[in-house]
Amino acid sequence: DAGVIQSPRHEVTEMGQEVTLRCKPISGHNSLFWYRQTMMRGLELLIYFNNNVPIDDSGMPEDRFSAKMPNASFSTLKIQPSEPRDSAVYFCASNALNLKGATAVKQFFGPGTRLTVL
Amino acid sequence: KNQVEQSPQSLIILEGKNCTLQCNYTVSPFSNLRWYKQDTGRGPVSLTIMTFSENTKSNGRYTATLDADTKQSSLHITASQLSDSASYICVVSGGANNLFFGTGTRLTVIP
């Protein structure tokens, strides 16, 4: 299994530009999460999907951030327009949704995308 | 206020020694507590997950404990190896993927 795949691994862009981060979850997993990690704030959950449907986007910092999951094997996180304070490592993670409702399910993280906005 | 606090912020130990990392939380309701290991430049990797009814769980040389009454957890690393050098993150779930993250403990194991 290739694990969670993220692209690009590094992105450097100028303030005001649109940034799109991509994620392919582990095959068979039907929950997908987007996180942001900075030195100051640590890991933060931005949004998560169950069965391609956004469930909770309360962690999305501003309207400049949007996420989509058009199918079970692909998700994007878009920032438009980007700002220097968006510089962080963005992680995608996935897990199999437990149909019995248990939440103690092991989550698998991708390698992350390091975003630098100049 | 739902919070997760980890201590120490950083720790340096000699190879072969044991160490214990602490996690205190105020999250309520409580669903489960997870410990992750994050190597530099990599994504977090799950070490243990404990629910309310579990008070200890092991994964190789890693042993996590949970006291749901005092809302404390610890991660004990036995016979440390250089490869244990990483950040260790405590995450508490309030249910329904409502997650609260500690800022991590940075462990450095030196030869």
Side-chain angles (χ1 to χ4, degrees):
Chain A
D1 194 332
V4 176
I5 299 173
Q6 290 187 248
S7 65
R9 292 296 309 276
H10 302 274
E11 177 80 32
V12 179
T13 189
E14 292 186 342
M15 178 178 172
Q17 296 297 307
E18 175 182 305
V19 175
T20 299
L21 312 181
R22 297 172 176 80
C23 174
K24 177 179 169 55
I26 292 173
S27 178
H29 284 188
N30 44 15
S31 288
L32 182 141
F33 305 76
W34 282 102
Y35 295 90
R36 177 172 69 176
Q37 186 177 40
T38 62
M39 288 292 291
M40 291 296 293
R41 300 170 67 93
L43 264 174
E44 302 172 281
L45 177 63
L46 300 177
I47 184 172
Y48 76 92
F49 297 81
N50 283 347
N51 295 319
N52 313 338
V53 177
I55 302 301
D56 185 355
D57 65 354
S58 59
M60 297 285 261
E62 298 173 35
D63 291 344
R64 298 184 296 106
F65 286 69
S66 62
K68 294 182 180 180
M69 192 165 185
N71 57 63
S73 59
F74 183 66
S75 177
T76 60
L77 178 67
K78 184 179 292 186
I79 309 173
Q80 180 186 23
S82 58
E83 296 183 3
R85 59 195 168 115
D86 301 331
S87 297
V89 180
Y90 291 81
F91 289 103
C92 176
S94 71
N95 60 244
L97 180 65
N98 188 308
L99 296 179
K100 294 182 179 179
T103 59
V105 179
K106 189 174 180 179
Q107 200 169 89
F108 296 82
F109 281 74
T113 295
R114 180 172 294 277
L115 173 66
T116 303
V117 183
L118 303 174
Chain B
K1 183 178 179 183
N2 292 311
Q3 284 186 314
V4 178
E5 295 185 353
Q6 292 187 244
S7 63
Q9 274 193 321
S10 61
L11 182 62
I12 300 174
I13 62 173
L14 290 174
E15 185 180 11
K17 297 296 185 181
N18 303 336
C19 68
T20 300
L21 314 180
Q22 298 290 342
C23 175
N24 297 339
Y25 62 93
T26 58
V27 176
S28 182
F30 172 86
S31 176
N32 59 76
L33 185 145
R34 309 158 186 245
W35 282 95
Y36 286 91
K37 178 188 178 188
Q38 185 176 21
D39 293 316
T40 301
R42 309 285 292 270
V45 174
S46 179
L47 293 176
T48 63
I49 305 174
M50 289 182 291
T51 58
F52 185 87
S53 60
E54 298 173 298
N55 55 23
T56 187
K57 185 163 281 189
S58 292
N59 179 356
R61 294 179 297 103
Y62 300 100
T63 299
T65 64
L66 172 65
D67 186 333
D69 290 332
T70 62
K71 298 189 177 181
Q72 296 179 327
S73 176
S74 65
L75 180 69
H76 186 74
I77 305 175
T78 303
S80 61
Q81 300 177 357
L82 298 179
S83 60
D84 293 331
S85 295
S87 288
Y88 291 84
I89 302 171
C90 175
V91 182
V92 180
S93 173
N97 289 316
N98 198 13
L99 301 174
F100 300 90
F101 297 86
T103 53
T105 292
R106 177 70 201 174
L107 174 66
T108 303
V109 181
I110 59 176

